[in-house]
Amino acid sequence: MFWLEASRPGLWFQTVWLYLVPTSGRPEVFADWRFWVGLGLVTLPLNLLVYGWNDIVDYEIDQINPRKGGYLFGARGSREQLRRLPLAIVLVNLPAAVALVAAAGVRALA
């Protein structure tokens, strides 16, 4: 649950909205499996990478931040949880990278 909380699912709407913007007027994209892979990538994997890394470097500030400790503004992790978070980021993003390559080819890694 810490990984999910660290990804701030309450803020996924931002990345999902930005992902959906180019689809306006193109309903055919919803029938393409690659669209759904991409949608999955911009939720947990991307947000865990961005916000999880932020939590790692902002430990001291997050401990006194009253907004921390929930699904909107992120986890208030212990030092031990944050120490293991880079491995979690890799474990979540590695399958995401494989899915991205399957959907868009190797050039997507660039």
Side-chain angles (χ1 to χ4, degrees):
M1 290 308 290
F2 172 72
W3 296 1
L4 181 62
E5 195 174 328
S7 76
R8 294 168 177 72
L11 297 177
W12 288 3
F13 71 90
Q14 295 171 330
T15 52
V16 168
W17 181 80
L18 289 171
Y19 181 76
L20 292 174
V21 167
T23 67
S24 177
R26 299 188 59 205
E28 68 275 6
V29 299
F30 298 109
D32 190 336
W33 66 271
R34 293 172 294 188
F35 167 83
W36 296 104
V37 168
L39 184 64
L41 294 175
V42 301
T43 56
L44 178 65
L46 177 63
N47 284 290
L48 184 60
L49 174 66
V50 172
Y51 295 126
W53 197 258
N54 174 268
D55 287 346
I56 292 167
V57 299
D58 281 347
Y59 172 78
E60 290 84 14
I61 293 169
D62 288 348
Q63 294 308 304
I64 60 172
N65 184 343
R67 296 182 304 173
K68 295 297 278 190
Y71 290 101
L72 183 57
F73 293 109
R76 182 179 290 129
S78 68
R79 286 196 187 272
E80 182 60 26
Q81 287 172 314
L82 294 172
R83 186 186 65 73
R84 292 190 311 251
L85 196 53
L87 178 60
I89 291 169
V90 170
L91 290 175
V92 169
N93 278 281
L94 192 56
V98 171
L100 181 63
V101 169
V106 176
R107 64 189 172 129
L109 294 177

